[in-house]
Amino acid sequence: MMMRDESQLEDYLQSYFGYPSFRMGQKEIINDVMKGKDVLGVLPTGSGKSICYQLPAMLLRGTTIVVSPLIALMIDQVKQLKANGFKSVVALNSFVSPVEKKKIYQQLAHYKLVYASPELLQNQVFLRYLDQIEISLFVVDEAHCISQWGHEFRPDYLKLSPLIERFHHPTVLALSATATRTIQADIIKALNVPHMVRHIYPIDRPNIAFSVKKVNDEKEKIDVIVNFVSHYRVPTLIYFSSRQLTEDFSFELSQRLSNRRIAFYHGGMDSVDRISIQQQFMNDQLDIICCTSAFGMGIDKNNIRLIIHYHMPSQLESYIQEVGRAGRDGQASVSILLYEKNDECLPKHIIENELPSEEELIFTFRMLNDFARRKEELPADEESLATLFQVSTVQWRFLYHQFAKHGMVDENVVLYDEENWQQAFQHIKQFQQQRLQHKKEKLTDMMAWIHEKDCLRKHLYKHFQSSYTEPADQCCSNCGFSLQAWKPPETIVHHSTTYYSENHWEDKLKKLLLIGDLHESK
């Protein structure tokens, strides 16, 4: 591993990125990474976590692998790096054709920085090419996904530890913006890197004001949002837990506010449409995005001013991640959460349906037993398996990971052992109950915060740190927050831009307006 003089790091930062100095925590993390130390870094949203691995990637001798959760995040970061003149970077995702992917595989050693999903890192063809290059740094970006997603949605996050061993233990860097002590421990355990140096910094954002507004019904929610966004033309995200509602509400809002440029975004949309919407928003060509939690992670847009939650998130970590997308330039921004009585029913319903019930668990065991008795392999397609076993794809991912973990399946082959299966059933049932209880406790914490009478800022961050920074502007709705006192700079609309030509932007957006992901309801 090539070492660099610590005093030169600012010079390299200026040379590669044009920044005169490091932000809080960046230099400390980079110093330890350059010394070959495994690091867990927790920094607030918008603090430039990507610099913590992008700069070392440019300075180290071999290749840096970045485990990244979302295609949009990869594309955005690669685009920025190439714009800065760093060409030896590539993102491997579903947009890359098989022919182009093979070409990239054959030239892997020429890349300094390779972005890949945890699922692709289980592909044996890709792994064989990775075996042939020197991997100096293994990065898990948005590392809280290991804990929040790994057990249910994306179990390949729990398979990163064998990869670290396979790659001869390169330096490991895990980064997150929301990691309680419990999540930190979960990350370290899952990666099996027990001696990680922890660089934990305050994650509170003093420039964001927090408001919880209680309403009587859905109609009042809609009226409140229309009133808010009609008074402020600022980049705005409105979060929903329902895919269908993102579409319905964006249409409703477009009808009532003809002078606002509005679109929807959710995990069930075509990937090309999602990327298109994201890029338009990044370029200030859209004012408002009605979205699910599928939108926003890794989006480096510094002038988002307003975050509205039509539906409450199921946990404080998700809320902090979503509101943290506002005000990355340090300017005063606002988060408004709308709460109607019994709003907690939707996240509770989603939580209960993420995991299989005991009856569904019994049924899957019976089905597996039939496959073992017939000595028949399981179908390879995940959706077909979910249909066959009468569970959702998310439930099937959870179950299959547990089956593999307990030695009941190997690839598509069912391995029957009566005693092992009896033990496995009890272990899986117990783990399912523990995860359900854990998620319900997270929802209880969210509800307690919504109904908090004391300072919302103080109680939002108490699970993550011992204190918080005094607000730069207004604090919260429990401390006298006034929307009327907020005077944000408004988006300037350049009507002359060719992007809004009749045959391009408007046509495409109309198609999107009139036509998956975590914590989304259909």
Side-chain angles (χ1 to χ4, degrees):
M1 180 173 292
M2 186 184 301
M3 288 297 295
R4 301 277 175 165
D5 188 334
E6 290 182 14
S7 64
Q8 291 182 294
L9 285 177
E10 277 87 357
D11 295 335
Y12 290 119
L13 182 71
Q14 178 73 55
S15 175
Y16 287 121
F17 296 97
Y19 300 139
S21 60
F22 287 102
R23 295 182 184 178
M24 175 186 68
Q26 288 178 332
K27 187 173 183 180
E28 292 79 1
I29 290 173
I30 292 170
N31 272 332
D32 276 345
V33 166
M34 296 303 296
K35 292 174 183 176
K37 296 180 180 179
D38 300 319
V39 175
L40 171 60
V42 178
L43 296 162
T45 52
S47 61
K49 291 186 292 298
S50 57
I51 293 291
C52 295
Y53 58 81
Q54 289 175 351
L55 185 57
M58 297 171 181
L59 302 177
L60 294 169
R61 186 175 61 189
T63 299
T64 293
I65 303 295
V66 181
V67 184
S68 186
L70 297 176
I71 292 175
L73 190 157
M74 297 184 201
I75 291 174
D76 190 50
Q77 294 201 4
V78 169
K79 179 181 175 182
Q80 289 182 28
L81 285 167
K82 288 187 174 181
N84 286 335
F86 184 61
K87 306 300 183 184
S88 53
V89 56
V90 69
L92 289 162
N93 52 58
S94 58
F95 282 98
V96 182
S97 69
V99 173
E100 182 64 19
K101 190 172 289 186
K102 184 176 180 180
K103 182 180 177 182
I104 293 169
Y105 285 174
Q106 292 170 343
Q107 299 176 347
L108 269 183
H110 298 290
Y111 292 102
K112 297 290 290 178
L113 191 56
V114 177
Y115 288 85
S117 69
E119 289 79 16
L120 182 60
L121 283 166
Q122 297 301 315
N123 181 285
Q124 293 304 311
V125 175
F126 183 39
L127 289 175
R128 283 195 290 272
Y129 280 102
L130 288 174
D131 288 339
Q132 299 171 31
I133 68 173
E134 179 185 3
I135 298 174
S136 301
L137 179 61
F138 187 84
V139 181
V140 185
D141 200 8
E142 308 290 351
H144 56 270
C145 294
I146 291 174
S147 183
Q148 289 185 2
W149 295 3
H151 300 291
E152 290 89 31
F153 308 106
R154 298 176 73 172
D156 287 324
Y157 263 110
L158 300 180
K159 302 176 185 177
L160 299 178
S161 174
L163 296 179
I164 293 169
E165 185 175 348
R166 177 172 180 153
F167 299 151
H168 309 293
H169 295 275
T171 301
V172 177
L173 172 61
L175 293 166
S176 176
T178 49
T180 61
R181 292 180 183 87
T182 301
I183 292 177
Q184 291 170 34
D186 208 11
I187 292 168
I188 292 172
K189 180 181 178 182
L191 295 176
N192 194 25
V193 187
H195 302 296
M196 286 187 120
V197 178
R198 300 193 196 194
H199 288 284
I200 313 298
Y201 295 90
I203 64 170
D204 57 317
R205 298 280 301 285
N207 62 310
I208 300 177
F210 301 100
S211 176
V212 172
K213 183 171 181 59
K214 296 179 180 177
V215 297
N216 294 315
D217 52 34
E218 297 286 313
K219 181 182 181 302
E220 188 177 354
K221 274 191 181 183
I222 296 171
D223 291 341
V224 166
I225 292 175
V226 171
N227 180 55
F228 285 162
V229 299
S230 63
H231 282 85
Y232 299 98
R233 188 174 206 132
V234 295
T236 300
L237 298 179
I238 306 176
Y239 277 101
F240 299 80
S241 294
S242 162
R243 293 177 179 180
Q244 187 60 51
L245 264 180
T246 65
E247 301 186 22
D248 295 344
F249 193 83
S250 66
F251 181 76
E252 168 93 8
L253 213 53
S254 297
Q255 296 294 103
R256 295 177 65 168
L257 296 172
S258 59
N259 63 338
R260 292 293 190 269
R261 302 162 300 174
I262 302 164
F264 63 82
Y265 184 111
H266 59 67
M269 293 169 60
D270 179 80
S271 296
V272 174
D273 289 340
R274 279 185 283 161
I275 296 298
S276 175
I277 291 295
Q278 177 183 306
Q279 292 305 313
Q280 290 177 58
F281 187 65
M282 290 291 292
N283 295 325
D284 283 334
Q285 293 159 334
L286 287 170
D287 299 308
I288 301 168
I289 304 292
C290 299
C291 57
T292 63
S293 58
F295 186 87
M297 186 179 291
I299 300 301
D300 190 18
K301 181 174 174 63
N302 67 1
N303 66 337
I304 298 174
R305 291 281 170 259
L306 179 60
I307 306 286
I308 300 174
H309 279 88
Y310 186 97
H311 291 133
M312 57 179 284
S314 62
Q315 55 180 306
L316 289 169
E317 286 91 339
S318 298
Y319 177 75
I320 291 173
Q321 290 160 20
E322 287 159 14
V323 300
R325 285 148 199 165
R328 292 191 172 191
D329 56 4
Q331 299 301 308
S333 303
V334 171
S335 162
I336 299 170
L337 187 150
L338 301 175
Y339 176 78
E340 178 191 354
K341 186 179 180 181
N342 297 323
D343 262 359
E344 63 271 22
C345 293
L346 178 57
K348 184 179 179 182
H349 172 77
I350 293 172
I351 286 170
E352 289 174 344
N353 282 276
E354 286 171 353
L355 295 163
S357 65
E358 184 175 348
E359 291 75 17
E360 288 167 330
L361 186 60
I362 292 170
F363 179 76
T364 57
F365 266 74
R366 287 175 179 167
M367 289 287 290
L368 280 181
N369 187 43
D370 289 341
F371 274 92
R373 181 172 46 79
R374 296 194 305 265
K375 296 182 180 180
E376 182 181 341
E377 289 191 3
L378 296 171
D381 180 62
E382 185 180 74
E383 291 189 5
S384 298
L385 280 164
T387 302
L388 182 66
F389 283 79
Q390 299 180 23
V391 292
S392 69
T393 53
V394 170
Q395 290 172 337
W396 175 254
R397 287 173 198 159
F398 169 85
L399 287 166
Y400 186 82
H401 177 68
Q402 293 297 319
F403 296 153
K405 178 181 177 181
H406 291 285
M408 296 172 59
V409 295
D410 182 12
E411 295 296 333
N412 296 325
V413 179
V414 181
L415 307 173
Y416 182 75
D417 179 289
E418 183 175 358
E419 183 177 352
N420 179 50
W421 277 37
Q422 289 176 352
Q423 293 177 351
F425 179 86
Q426 294 303 322
H427 286 150
I428 296 171
K429 176 184 172 183
Q430 183 180 20
F431 183 68
Q432 181 268 352
Q433 292 171 343
Q434 290 172 349
R435 287 296 296 172
L436 183 59
Q437 181 61 29
H438 171 75
K439 288 171 176 287
K440 287 182 176 180
E441 288 171 359
K442 291 287 187 180
L443 179 57
T444 298
D445 290 340
M446 186 76 220
M447 285 298 299
W449 183 76
I450 287 172
H451 294 294
E452 180 60 57
K453 301 298 183 184
D454 195 10
C455 174
L456 291 174
R457 183 180 304 273
K458 171 184 174 182
H459 289 277
L460 178 62
Y461 295 114
K462 68 182 180 182
H463 296 286
F464 302 87
Q465 56 199 49
S466 58
S467 61
Y468 65 95
T469 308
E470 288 298 316
D473 188 37
Q474 300 191 80
C475 183
C476 70
S477 51
N478 288 351
C479 296
F481 166 77
S482 167
L483 196 66
Q484 288 70 33
W486 183 45
K487 305 295 181 184
E490 298 203 357
T491 301
I492 299 174
V493 181
H494 299 287
H495 292 288
S496 60
T497 174
T498 57
Y499 201 80
Y500 294 102
S501 66
E502 184 67 20
N503 294 324
H504 188 77
W505 177 81
E506 288 184 350
D507 286 350
K508 182 166 182 62
L509 190 56
K510 283 176 182 176
K511 289 178 183 177
L512 288 174
L513 287 172
L514 300 173
I515 45 174
D517 216 63
L518 304 189
H519 298 293
E520 292 183 7
S521 169
K522 301 290 185 183

